[in-house]
Amino acid sequence: MTGEFYREYLTQTPAKRKLLYAMNPNKFRMCQYLVRYHSAKKDKIIIFSDNIFALKQYAIRLNAPFIYGPTTQKERMRVLHHFQTNSEVNCILLSKVGDTSIDIPEANVLIQVSSHFGSRRQEAQRLGRILRPKPRAGQNFNAFFYSLVSTDTQEMFYSQKRQQFLVDQGYSFKIITQLEGMDRDETLDFGTKEKQLLLLQQVLAADEGEASERIVDEDLDRMQTVSGARRATGSLAALSGAKGMSYREVNRGPEVLEDRKRLGIVSKRHALFRKRDNK
């Protein structure tokens, strides 16, 4: 993380800190470098970001499509179809709606920019996205999982917990602090201090709500609501249709009928029951 970003990181709220380490310009440059490297090899790349502000900014800078909670089903299918069939579309960005219910067996490179704290379950789900057999390679393929972490931030603590899951499952990993050739690439974004400061201003001006992982908009598929529907408390009696009703047993024997006649209470009886009463 650059000095200016880290200085703000030490003084900001927890929500803003998430946004700062997700939008770390060094992290973006590394992500951009990896995307170019694997795109040249015709690999299929997924970039995961639970932070929606970062997701949109990365997508704009990388000129790549993205999917998150409010994305319509039609748009999702269109993006996934192009990713799977179009050789020119080698990179897509997903929020954590991509953790489940989305099948992309073609992907073999995953870059994680922002994650849900130290969730091992999420780590397993995302790792499984790139370990499935590839239609174009069969059982022989290479898969790459990159988790980009800003040093000396709370993100490092969460990353260590997630790495422990990989160790427990028998996977090995390597910590890389510098990519060879990245510093010499002048075409990467945010290469100057002026551009980094401009990015910092955009991050500080962003709504803190966009830095949090909101379940409704960013992490789950949107639920279709029925117009006029409302939530109200109720009882089992109301659900069964018996509200305000009671069960009573009534004796209709001959003695009761005699009493009713004596009191002048006359009720119309069915012929079958009249025949039985006269016996």
Side-chain angles (χ1 to χ4, degrees):
M1 183 178 290
T2 63
E4 292 77 16
F5 267 73
Y6 194 68
R7 188 180 302 111
E8 292 294 338
Y9 172 83
L10 295 175
T11 60
Q12 293 295 330
T13 62
K16 187 69 73 175
R17 288 180 180 181
K18 295 177 186 178
L19 194 54
L20 285 166
Y21 62 61
M23 290 302 298
N24 176 7
N26 290 336
K27 177 184 287 190
F28 178 84
R29 286 167 56 83
M30 186 168 291
C31 179
Q32 188 178 30
Y33 182 85
L34 290 172
V35 169
R36 291 181 180 180
Y37 175 79
H38 286 285
S39 294
K41 295 186 174 183
K42 300 300 181 182
D43 290 329
K44 292 290 186 177
I45 309 162
I46 299 177
I47 300 175
F48 271 103
S49 175
D50 287 8
N51 188 302
I52 298 304
F53 179 85
L55 179 77
K56 294 178 179 179
Q57 293 298 319
Y58 275 66
I60 293 172
R61 290 283 179 173
L62 297 173
N63 193 26
F66 66 95
I67 296 174
Y68 71 125
T71 306
T72 63
Q73 184 65 22
K74 182 178 180 180
E75 180 66 13
R76 294 185 189 194
M77 298 303 296
R78 187 188 68 82
V79 171
L80 293 176
H81 176 73
H82 281 290
F83 180 73
Q84 294 169 345
T85 61
N86 191 341
S87 60
E88 299 299 322
V89 181
N90 295 321
C91 178
I92 60 172
L93 291 91
L94 303 176
S95 72
K96 57 183 168 185
V97 298
D99 292 343
T100 58
S101 71
I102 293 182
D103 187 25
I104 316 176
E106 290 78 11
N108 67 318
V109 178
L110 190 149
I111 304 174
Q112 188 169 249
V113 173
S114 172
S115 58
H116 184 66
F117 304 108
S119 173
R120 297 187 179 188
R121 177 175 175 269
Q122 188 182 65
E123 197 82 350
Q125 289 172 328
R126 292 183 174 179
L127 183 61
R129 287 283 173 267
I130 59 174
L131 294 182
R132 298 177 184 179
K134 313 302 175 188
R136 56 195 177 97
Q139 297 293 334
N140 300 318
F141 64 93
N142 290 323
F144 302 88
F145 186 106
Y146 300 97
S147 185
L148 306 185
V149 180
S150 297
T151 57
D152 299 326
T153 66
Q154 194 174 22
E155 192 177 25
M156 290 189 67
F157 170 74
Y158 299 138
S159 177
Q160 290 174 356
K161 293 185 65 176
R162 298 167 76 97
Q163 287 173 0
Q164 187 60 45
F165 163 78
L166 299 178
V167 174
D168 294 342
Q169 298 299 316
Y171 295 102
S172 61
F173 63 90
K174 181 185 296 185
I175 298 177
I176 302 175
T177 58
Q178 185 66 35
L179 291 176
E180 183 180 355
M182 192 181 77
D183 291 338
R184 298 191 298 270
D185 192 345
E186 298 180 355
T187 62
L188 297 176
D189 290 343
F190 307 117
T192 63
K193 189 172 183 178
E194 290 75 14
K195 293 181 179 179
Q196 293 174 4
L197 291 175
L198 181 60
L199 175 63
L200 178 59
Q201 293 177 4
Q202 295 175 354
V203 173
L204 294 177
D207 182 9
E208 287 190 4
E210 297 187 64
S212 61
E213 291 81 17
R214 291 176 295 178
I215 299 298
V216 174
D217 293 334
E218 301 161 16
D219 303 329
L220 297 176
D221 295 335
R222 288 186 304 168
M223 300 179 63
Q224 299 295 327
T225 57
V226 181
S227 59
R230 61 185 179 87
R231 178 179 295 179
T233 58
S235 64
L236 291 177
L239 293 175
S240 63
K243 188 175 183 180
M245 301 176 65
S246 62
Y247 175 76
R248 294 187 304 164
E249 291 188 359
V250 180
N251 187 354
R252 295 287 188 178
E255 298 82 2
V256 177
L257 292 176
E258 291 297 331
D259 293 338
R260 292 171 64 87
K261 290 179 181 178
R262 187 168 51 252
L263 296 173
I265 302 174
V266 180
S267 60
K268 188 176 181 180
R269 300 274 285 171
H270 191 275
L272 176 63
F273 297 106
R274 287 200 302 269
K275 184 178 179 181
R276 187 193 68 178
D277 295 339
N278 294 332
K279 288 183 179 179

